[in-house]
Amino acid sequence: MSYVASRLSAVKPSASMAASLAAKALRAKGVDVIDLGLGEPDFPTPRHIIDAAHQAALRGETLYTAAGGTPELRQAVADKFRRENGLDYSADEILVANGAKQIIFNALMATLNEGDEAVLPAPYFVSYPEMVKLLGGVPVTPVCGADSGFRLTPEALEAAITPRTKWLFLNMPGNPSGAVYGMDDLKALGAVLARHPQVLILSDEIYEHILFDGRAFVSFGQACPELRDRTLIVNGVAKAYAMTGWRVGYAAGPAPLVKAMNTVQSQSCTSVAAPMQAAALAALTGPQDCVDEFRAAFQRRRDLVVAGVAAIPGLTLPPPEGAFYAYIGCAGLLGKRTPDGAILTNDTDVVAYLLNAGHVSSVPGAAYGVSPFFRISTATADAVLVEALSRIGNAVAALTEA
Ligand SMILES: Cc1ncc(COP(=O)(O)O)c(C=O)c1O
């Protein structure tokens, strides 16, 4: 007997969670493993945000709220889009959910019919294709390699669109590559999309504030205002305010789409927990210095990792432009022999070798749709990153020609 519905059969568990579990299993055997698999800021949530949740609960904000978010939080989200992105949205065009992930799930649940396609430029966030499959859709994953800066080109977009295309997903800065799109890049994609009026655009901007080398962020909504009625901008407090466990994401989009997503949410989870919404409100309306402090730390670590990888023969890493990952090319290691006599044939082998020989956990590029690469999270203390790079360097140095 199977307990599992057929729609779940093609869906894989999260690869970064799997990497973290493998690290934990080795740790349970007493091995000192450095886990660079999961990506979440290592800073504590700022105190004023924690206090706001506490005070809200003490005030009695412990009941159900409106499904799409409290009026105060939706207003704060609308104000954020106006202040930071120059975008005008009214409260009925805003939805608050349990993380950006639930926003994306609601959007797909509300719109996908069986067999509809979603264009997911690879490398992509691991959850995108799995959510699309879970909801009856078909992921279309054009490979955007290092040669295009891991960015989707207008030509690749045009080639990926069919009459069944329902969504294009963009993610900037990107997980896992850190790639960022500039105004001209987005306008060029917008020109292609203008020719295909059936395509909705989901712009996942959750890493908006983690941007390096003084770059200014350009929202898809800013670059392509003419596509406003088919654009959903996804964001949240998780990455900018070190709040991954609080589970608050939000989106802005056309009212009929937001209304449909709201229906999905009200029938599945009702709302985000009231004290968590109060915390998100404090994050968006309170002092913003923490955002700059976090960004400065991530920039320092990005620099440290880029320099460290450059010193390891066989590995490549163009400097990530944002987010807190390094998507490291490992083509130079393929075909080499490990001290145990095994030959490294792909990035999954490389990741297993780095875990078993170097005691550093990472995620293979195969999980993100572009090989041979592996992803490490740089959201960890500088000293840990230095140690991890030294271990990776030693493991690589122990490889021999086959
Ligand atoms: C691109 C991207 N979108 C969304 C999420 C999930 O965000 P949240 O924690 O708000 O659900 C992540 C988390 O890793 C991510 O990398």
Side-chain angles (χ1 to χ4, degrees):
M1 172 194 169
S2 169
Y3 291 96
V4 178
S6 51
R7 70 175 169 280
L8 205 64
S9 61
V11 176
K12 294 188 291 240
S14 156
S16 42
M17 289 284 186
S20 191
L21 285 178
K24 283 199 178 81
L26 209 56
R27 220 176 251 159
K29 290 186 191 158
V31 178
D32 160 34
V33 177
I34 298 180
D35 183 1
L36 301 183
L38 266 188
E40 53 183 340
D42 55 321
F43 310 110
T45 300
R47 179 64 199 249
H48 69 278
I49 297 175
I50 297 176
D51 285 343
H54 185 203
Q55 292 306 323
L58 290 175
R59 271 198 311 275
E61 290 181 29
T62 51
L63 305 174
Y64 295 133
T65 75
T70 62
E72 297 78 14
L73 180 52
R74 274 184 293 152
Q75 187 57 50
V77 170
D79 292 346
K80 172 261 178 287
F81 279 119
R82 194 163 301 120
R83 183 177 71 239
E84 295 185 343
N85 309 110
L87 300 174
D88 261 314
Y89 283 99
S90 57
D92 64 345
E93 295 174 305
I94 305 282
L95 184 78
V96 174
N98 289 281
K101 257 175 147 168
Q102 190 181 36
I103 292 278
I104 298 167
F105 193 90
N106 289 346
L108 292 172
M109 182 78 166
T111 56
L112 280 186
N113 290 314
E114 198 69 27
D116 281 350
E117 294 171 0
V119 177
L120 314 174
Y124 41 69
F125 173 41
V126 289
S127 295
Y128 294 159
E130 306 311 317
M131 286 201 215
V132 168
K133 286 187 280 180
L134 186 57
L135 296 167
V138 179
V140 173
T141 55
V143 170
C144 309
D147 48 339
S148 65
F150 300 107
R151 278 182 281 272
L152 179 69
T153 61
E155 298 72 32
L157 173 59
E158 185 70 68
I161 292 176
T162 76
R164 292 305 306 264
T165 307
K166 185 57 112 5
W167 283 100
L168 163 68
F169 278 35
L170 292 174
N171 172 212
M172 50 201 191
N175 171 9
S177 71
V180 172
Y181 290 76
M183 183 68 95
D184 292 347
D185 301 318
L186 294 175
K187 282 188 183 299
L189 295 176
V192 174
L193 291 161
R195 295 196 286 274
H196 300 279
Q198 85 280 18
V199 182
L200 302 171
I201 302 101
L202 186 151
S203 186
D204 182 341
E205 306 183 354
I206 190 113
Y207 295 101
E208 165 181 15
H209 290 293
I210 305 171
L211 208 55
F212 305 136
D213 308 320
R215 281 186 179 79
F217 183 74
V218 184
S219 167
F220 185 83
Q222 261 169 307
C224 300
E226 71 284 5
L227 299 177
R228 186 188 193 279
D229 66 350
R230 45 192 174 110
T231 298
L232 183 70
I233 302 186
V234 177
N235 209 322
V237 295
K239 316 287 180 176
Y241 300 96
M243 291 177 70
T244 49
W246 296 74
R247 312 306 306 129
V248 189
Y250 55 81
L257 174 62
V258 168
K259 185 168 174 228
M261 292 165 62
N262 196 63
T263 302
V264 173
Q265 179 151 301
S266 69
Q267 296 296 10
S268 51
C269 73
T270 301
S271 73
V272 175
M276 306 300 115
Q277 295 193 58
L281 179 64
L284 292 176
T285 57
Q288 300 294 301
D289 345 359
C290 57
V291 177
D292 293 332
E293 282 161 26
F294 296 157
R295 184 196 4 255
F298 288 130
Q299 164 98 47
R300 194 178 64 239
R301 293 162 176 184
R302 193 280 315 251
D303 293 346
L304 187 157
V305 168
V306 167
V309 171
I312 304 177
L315 299 183
T316 51
L317 177 63
E321 297 160 339
F324 42 63
Y325 307 100
Y327 201 50
I328 302 174
C330 57
L333 305 189
L334 302 190
K336 301 232 170 176
R337 190 184 297 280
T338 72
D340 290 344
I343 305 290
L344 299 177
T345 58
N346 54 37
D347 51 27
T348 305
D349 288 352
V350 170
V351 163
Y353 173 66
L354 293 178
L355 178 61
N356 293 320
H359 301 156
V360 175
S361 136
S362 57
V363 187
Y368 307 98
V370 182
S371 290
F373 290 86
F374 63 94
R375 188 195 83 169
I376 62 170
S377 162
T378 57
T380 193
D382 299 29
V384 176
L385 287 173
V386 170
E387 170 63 16
L389 287 161
S390 153
R391 292 184 185 191
I392 293 173
N394 290 339
V396 169
L399 297 170
T400 53
E401 294 304 327

